[in-house]
Structures are given as structure tokens and as C-alpha cells.
Amino acid sequence: MGGASAETAGNKILLVDDEDINLRTGKRVLNRQLPNSTVLTASSYADAADIINAIRGEIVAVVSDLKLNDEAKNGLHVLQEAAKMGISVRILYSGEVHQDIVQEAASGIATAMVAKPDFKDVVTLLKKCLFVAPVSQ
């Protein structure tokens, strides 16, 4: 292994939320805290699935709100699609934490669940899951 960290690799992170303010805030925070990553955004399940399928080998993490404006599909569906495409870091964030949602997320759909709206926990998880320290020579 070389001396570069994974953070320098230009990771692509997909942020999914149906509220524009959350997308803008989340993207701004993630860009500031993870400057060598590219943050993509989607406001619906359909948009997220299109992005995941179009560039599946390039996305390293998906962060999705639980509730989306689509009555048939929610954030768990987005994370299921990401899992099918081999994306191993799948974070669900939500302002509502119900026992059935936690159980479904814990069944392997999500690798982590974070309370909304604090993106600090999302950044911490992404750094922990994605970025490795440089290997010393």
C-alpha cells in the first residue's frame, strides 16, 4: 500500500432527502468536512436509484432520509438498492425512530442509523467507515 489515504481518492457520496434545505445543508457540511469527496444529491427514490445504477462502481456511501415524498418508496428502499449494487456504507437518518424501522434497518439494510438533523454524526460515521489513516513506511 502507498502512503495516500482513502480520503484522497475522490469518493462519491450520495445524499438523499426530499427536503431541499436538508440537501443543501447536508451537502455543504459534507463538502466542508470531507473536502476530497464528491457529494451527489437526489430528492426521491427514483432519482437516487437512477444515480446508483448509472455510476454504481463510483459511489462509496449512501446517506438517505427515511421519509421521502414517494408513498411507495422510502429511504430503506434507497438503501436496499445501494446494497444490491454493492455499496457497503449505507446510513439511514431520520427525525422519527420507531421500533419497526430500527429493526428493519438493523436487519442489514442500513449499516448505521443517525438521528436527524445533526450531520455531525453522519460525518463521523463516514470518516470512520471510509477513510483510513496513511500507512507509515
Side-chain angles (χ1 to χ4, degrees):
M1 288 222 153
S5 72
E7 189 171 1
T8 63
N11 293 318
K12 289 187 179 168
I13 299 165
L14 177 60
L15 176 62
V16 185
D17 198 310
D18 61 338
E19 295 182 39
D20 189 56
I21 186 74
N22 291 335
L23 284 178
R24 286 194 320 259
T25 302
K27 184 172 184 171
R28 186 176 61 248
V29 169
L30 294 175
N31 280 331
R32 189 177 326 120
Q33 296 296 317
L34 309 170
N36 295 314
S37 295
T38 301
V39 180
L40 309 169
T41 60
S43 60
S44 68
Y45 167 82
D47 290 345
D50 286 347
I51 292 168
I52 290 167
N53 287 298
I55 58 172
R56 67 183 94 173
E58 298 176 37
I59 297 174
V60 297
V62 175
V63 179
S64 182
D65 184 16
L66 173 63
K67 286 193 170 186
L68 302 174
N69 279 338
D70 186 339
E71 290 182 23
K73 303 282 185 180
N74 62 31
L76 289 170
H77 295 103
V78 171
L79 299 184
Q80 284 175 325
E81 188 70 25
K84 285 194 299 190
M85 294 299 141
I87 300 168
S88 60
V89 179
R90 301 176 306 276
I91 300 172
L92 184 69
Y93 74 104
S94 178
E96 299 178 22
V97 181
H98 300 289
Q99 185 64 28
D100 57 332
I101 305 248
V102 171
Q103 287 176 335
E104 194 169 354
S107 71
I109 295 170
T111 52
M113 189 165 177
V114 175
K116 191 177 178 180
D118 191 358
F119 279 97
K120 284 189 308 186
D121 291 338
V122 172
V123 170
T124 300
L125 280 168
L126 287 171
K127 285 181 176 180
K128 184 185 282 188
C129 293
L130 297 177
F131 305 139
V132 296
V135 176
S136 57
Q137 302 281 328

